[in-house]
Amino acid sequence: MISARNFLHFSRGVALAAAVCFFAATLAVAQTDALPSWNDTAPKQAIISFVEKVTKPDSADFVPEAERIAVFDNDGTLWVEHPIYTQLAFALDRVKSLAPQHPEWKETQPFKAVLEGDMKALAASGEKGLVELIMTTHAGMTTSDFQKIVIDWLASARDPKFKRPYTELVYQPMIELLAYLRANGFKTFIVSGGGVELMRPWAEKVYGIPPEQVVGSSIKTEFRMEDDTPTLFRLPEVNFIDDKAGKPVGINQQIGRRPIAAFGNSDGDLQMLQWTTMAGGPARLGVLIHHTDAAREYAYDRDTEFGRLDKALDAAAITGWTVVDMKADWKQVFKD
Amino acid sequence: MISARNFLHFSRGVALAAAVCFFAATLAVAQTDALPSWNDTAPKQAIISFVEKVTKPDSADFVPEAERIAVFDNDGTLWVEHPIYTQLAFALDRVKSLAPQHPEWKETQPFKAVLEGDMKALAASGEKGLVELIMTTHAGMTTSDFQKIVIDWLASARDPKFKRPYTELVYQPMIELLAYLRANGFKTFIVSGGGVELMRPWAEKVYGIPPEQVVGSSIKTEFRMEDDTPTLFRLPEVNFIDDKAGKPVGINQQIGRRPIAAFGNSDGDLQMLQWTTMAGGPARLGVLIHHTDAAREYAYDRDTEFGRLDKALDAAAITGWTVVDMKADWKQVFKD
């Protein structure tokens, strides 16, 4: 039984506990920098200001939590894409592992070029050669077998420059940004030109992005019952290319609503940023990561085969997209 | 400042508050039936027993929250699909609204059949005629224009038998089931043969399922910049049919992981239930809704054009899927 006096103390106790909690929470918010790897330059300010605008209930730009969709390109935006896309490195390694079962590859392009390390001959095989490489190394097995191949490869493969696993070559400032957006009620999606099945096995662990929030390119799959066991078999046929004008299509197909923030780094992201930011109406955020840091990572933009940033850089100046200068705006590129 | 005596009272207060909260929570759980529209027959027991198995941390069948994916067919599983699919009713109404701009339809099949209400002639136009109807009524506008058309139509269209808006002809027991699963950490998805853009505009409000958790059939779209405004234009070309063997493909494409529970009502859901439940390993749930209630809704299974349940019903007996007998197992079909 609670006496009147005890009840009074009890109430005071509860009020005090609430006050202490509130004070502690306020302090924690004030003291924590959610983006410690970002310098206090314009891009960080633009990102924080946008998030505050869309999350404050009395703001003219307020967006309900369910509609806070943020989309991120992967190659060159969340992880390294030079000297070549990681997916291409995977395909080249796969050709080498499969070569003993394919003696004919010694005399057939583009495989011969891969086995001899002749990048000039490989480039000469053009898009046709590249598609053949991808199909040979990515199709002809079930989805679960492919997933295992990807996980095994990532466990042993090392980036040629940094000598680290590819999944460690993710940008620390972007990892912080993903977490910061999620802490503010955003749902974060990958929207990548890369193969969706190459990202899903590790995106949850590394980025905190679950498989259902990964949009990407894909090959066709076929449902098959094999000895009463249902499988999905990967066919050597393109299903969808999630790049350039394909990105808004992929976003609409899988997410079904327009993002309010988009992050990219190349011309492959141009239409995704347009689709996100140019619909009129309230505040929207478009961000381009500009690779300007030859010392800590790479410096490239208009003149590269992997992640060319040319038209989108011109568009940024007109549309007011935020351009992140990797060298000036990031305190740190990778986790130590 | 807190004296020793006050601190003692304060601690007691906190402990008491915690105890009260715990007790109240326990009571609430014990007293609430999450599935009040279900009779206490075998299907309800099977569903509850499955959910308890996969959510109790010390259970051999425990599934981490992130992997608790449940997929639901729409037509005939979540809402009414007789006398014809709602999407077909939409297409027929659209033909009638567009007819004044198409005088040639008076003499051209399958439009002539629709305008004259000649369902026999419409059926005679076959799949080719049906595809033409769908393309004419679903393509040739932007995605946002189509969304508006769908919302406007649903606001005024009425089901011929029940004289209610289609979005009210959703099954109350299934609405409770969706909420019950979500309360237990499940992520609920629609996986329907119907057009994805016909479901997304209202699925969140009616089912609590956001657009990014709706998988369905689709036509191709094209990104276009029109006067500096980005749009997605709907083309008269099939993109993906999310039915039968297409359902596991669609699930893998958009969700990227295998569900642990699947709910359907027709042969179109057979492969989805196989893919969900026949992988071996821990407990999985497959459920078929059997339309047995001619008085409150409809009774049909092996002999119907819309939602035929034949092969899947045979498979259920072998695989141990739960079959819901609508008449016997549901206290209520629709909300009053």
Side-chain angles (χ1 to χ4, degrees):
Chain A
M1 216 189 83
I2 308 175
S3 73
R5 186 183 171 151
N6 277 346
F7 181 73
L8 190 67
H9 278 291
F10 171 67
S11 310
R12 266 193 218 147
V14 171
L16 190 64
V20 166
C21 287
F22 178 75
F23 189 63
T26 311
L27 259 181
V29 168
Q31 287 176 343
T32 309
D33 177 359
L35 303 172
S37 299
W38 292 73
N39 286 318
D40 285 320
T41 43
K44 179 175 179 172
Q45 300 310 326
I47 291 167
I48 292 174
S49 146
F50 167 76
V51 169
E52 286 175 352
K53 257 190 244 174
V54 298
T55 54
K56 271 188 192 151
D58 58 350
S59 156
D61 293 301
F62 177 75
V63 175
E65 208 167 307
E67 292 167 28
R68 292 181 205 154
I69 303 285
V71 287
F72 290 80
D73 169 58
N74 186 40
D75 297 306
T77 298
L78 295 178
W79 77 349
V80 170
E81 66 182 348
H82 270 212
I84 57 172
Y85 295 133
T86 304
Q87 184 161 16
L88 186 52
F90 166 78
L92 301 182
D93 277 0
R94 284 292 296 157
V95 167
K96 288 171 201 159
S97 328
L98 295 170
Q101 297 142 253
H102 294 274
E104 75 280 10
W105 285 356
K106 280 186 191 153
E107 302 306 325
T108 330
Q109 292 298 12
F111 305 100
K112 185 167 183 276
V114 175
L115 296 176
E116 292 172 354
D118 183 350
M119 290 300 114
K120 220 169 151 182
L122 180 61
S125 77
E127 204 188 310
K128 193 172 160 285
L130 213 66
V131 168
E132 200 179 342
L133 266 192
I134 295 288
M135 290 312 167
T136 309
T137 53
H138 287 62
M141 73 289 278
T142 67
T143 48
S144 32
D145 287 345
F146 186 69
Q147 191 174 343
K148 205 185 157 306
I149 290 167
V150 169
I151 291 171
D152 288 350
W153 180 76
L154 283 170
S156 63
R158 295 293 176 272
D159 173 89
K161 174 168 172 175
F162 298 102
K163 318 286 179 204
R164 294 175 71 172
Y166 288 99
T167 46
E168 286 183 13
L169 296 178
V170 297
Y171 305 129
Q172 179 59 20
M174 298 306 283
I175 299 291
E176 293 165 8
L177 179 54
L178 286 166
Y180 169 64
L181 289 173
R182 288 193 292 259
N184 281 283
F186 281 76
K187 221 169 180 175
T188 52
F189 287 78
I190 292 173
V191 177
S192 167
V196 67
E197 304 262 19
L198 206 102
M199 296 176 278
R200 281 176 167 160
W202 53 271
E204 188 152 32
K205 200 173 147 201
V206 174
Y207 298 138
I209 297 180
E212 62 270 28
Q213 285 163 226
V214 182
V215 184
S217 297
S218 56
I219 59 175
K220 288 201 188 297
T221 60
E222 186 178 76
F223 179 78
R224 293 181 185 175
M225 285 297 278
E226 289 178 351
D227 303 328
D228 277 345
T229 302
T231 64
L232 284 170
F233 198 80
R234 292 169 60 79
L235 305 174
E237 193 184 335
V238 172
N239 178 57
F240 180 64
I241 300 294
D242 189 52
D243 199 28
K244 299 194 173 74
K247 288 206 174 189
V249 171
I251 288 170
N252 185 60
Q253 218 160 261
Q254 190 163 330
I255 308 179
R257 44 182 150 202
R258 200 186 287 246
I260 65 166
F263 302 81
N265 77 298
S266 78
D267 286 359
D269 305 312
L270 174 62
Q271 289 87 347
M272 173 170 85
L273 266 73
Q274 288 173 330
W275 176 244
T276 302
T277 67
M278 295 174 73
R284 297 292 177 255
L285 181 68
V287 175
L288 286 172
I289 309 298
H290 192 182
H291 292 260
T292 53
D293 197 332
R296 294 185 300 177
E297 200 235 14
Y298 295 97
Y300 59 91
D301 46 34
R302 295 181 199 270
D303 190 23
T304 173
E305 285 304 310
F306 300 96
R308 176 175 297 140
L309 176 63
D310 181 34
K311 285 181 202 164
L313 199 55
D314 295 339
I318 299 163
T319 54
W321 296 333
T322 295
V323 179
V324 174
D325 177 333
M326 197 181 258
K327 191 173 174 179
D329 299 326
W330 285 0
K331 249 179 223 149
Q332 188 167 355
V333 175
F334 306 116
K335 205 171 221 167
D336 289 328
Chain B
M1 217 189 79
I2 307 176
S3 72
R5 187 184 170 149
N6 278 345
F7 181 72
L8 190 68
H9 280 291
F10 171 66
S11 309
R12 267 192 218 147
V14 169
L16 190 64
V20 166
C21 288
F22 178 75
F23 188 64
T26 310
L27 259 181
V29 168
Q31 287 176 343
T32 309
D33 177 0
L35 303 172
S37 299
W38 291 72
N39 286 319
D40 284 321
T41 43
K44 179 174 179 173
Q45 299 311 326
I47 289 166
I48 293 174
S49 147
F50 168 76
V51 169
E52 286 176 352
K53 257 190 245 174
V54 298
T55 54
K56 273 189 191 150
D58 57 350
S59 156
D61 293 301
F62 177 75
V63 175
E65 209 167 306
E67 293 167 27
R68 290 181 207 154
I69 304 286
V71 288
F72 290 80
D73 169 57
N74 187 40
D75 297 306
T77 299
L78 295 179
W79 77 351
V80 171
E81 66 182 348
H82 271 212
I84 57 172
Y85 295 132
T86 305
Q87 184 160 15
L88 185 52
F90 167 79
L92 300 182
D93 277 1
R94 284 292 295 156
V95 168
K96 288 169 201 159
S97 327
L98 295 170
Q101 297 141 254
H102 294 274
E104 75 280 10
W105 285 355
K106 279 185 192 155
E107 303 304 326
T108 330
Q109 294 295 15
F111 306 100
K112 185 167 181 279
V114 175
L115 296 176
E116 293 172 354
D118 183 349
M119 288 300 115
K120 219 170 152 181
L122 181 60
S125 78
E127 204 189 309
K128 193 172 159 283
L130 212 67
V131 168
E132 199 178 343
L133 267 192
I134 295 289
M135 291 311 168
T136 309
T137 53
H138 287 62
M141 73 289 279
T142 67
T143 48
S144 34
D145 287 345
F146 185 70
Q147 190 174 345
K148 204 184 159 306
I149 291 168
V150 170
I151 291 171
D152 289 349
W153 180 77
L154 284 170
S156 64
R158 294 295 175 269
D159 172 87
K161 174 169 173 173
F162 299 101
K163 319 284 179 207
R164 294 174 70 173
Y166 289 98
T167 46
E168 285 183 12
L169 296 178
V170 298
Y171 306 128
Q172 179 61 19
M174 299 305 283
I175 300 291
E176 293 165 8
L177 180 54
L178 286 165
Y180 169 63
L181 290 173
R182 288 193 292 260
N184 281 281
F186 280 75
K187 221 170 180 175
T188 53
F189 286 79
I190 292 173
V191 177
S192 167
V196 67
E197 304 262 18
L198 205 103
M199 296 176 278
R200 280 176 167 158
W202 54 272
E204 187 151 31
K205 200 174 148 201
V206 174
Y207 299 138
I209 296 180
E212 61 270 28
Q213 286 164 224
V214 182
V215 184
S217 297
S218 55
I219 58 175
K220 288 201 189 295
T221 61
E222 185 178 79
F223 179 78
R224 293 181 184 175
M225 285 297 279
E226 289 177 352
D227 303 327
D228 276 345
T229 303
T231 65
L232 283 170
F233 197 80
R234 292 169 60 80
L235 305 175
E237 192 184 336
V238 172
N239 178 56
F240 179 64
I241 301 294
D242 189 52
D243 199 26
K244 300 196 173 72
K247 287 206 174 189
V249 171
I251 288 169
N252 185 61
Q253 219 160 260
Q254 190 162 330
I255 309 177
R257 45 182 151 201
R258 200 188 287 245
I260 65 167
F263 302 82
N265 77 299
S266 79
D267 285 359
D269 304 312
L270 174 62
Q271 290 86 347
M272 174 170 85
L273 266 73
Q274 290 173 330
W275 176 244
T276 301
T277 66
M278 295 175 72
R284 298 292 177 256
L285 182 68
V287 176
L288 285 172
I289 309 298
H290 191 183
H291 293 259
T292 53
D293 198 332
R296 296 186 298 178
E297 200 235 14
Y298 296 98
Y300 59 91
D301 45 35
R302 295 182 199 270
D303 190 24
T304 174
E305 285 304 310
F306 299 96
R308 174 175 298 140
L309 176 62
D310 181 33
K311 285 181 203 165
L313 198 54
D314 295 340
I318 299 163
T319 53
W321 295 332
T322 295
V323 179
V324 174
D325 177 335
M326 197 181 256
K327 190 173 175 180
D329 298 326
W330 284 0
K331 247 179 223 150
Q332 187 167 358
V333 174
F334 306 117
K335 206 171 220 168
D336 289 327

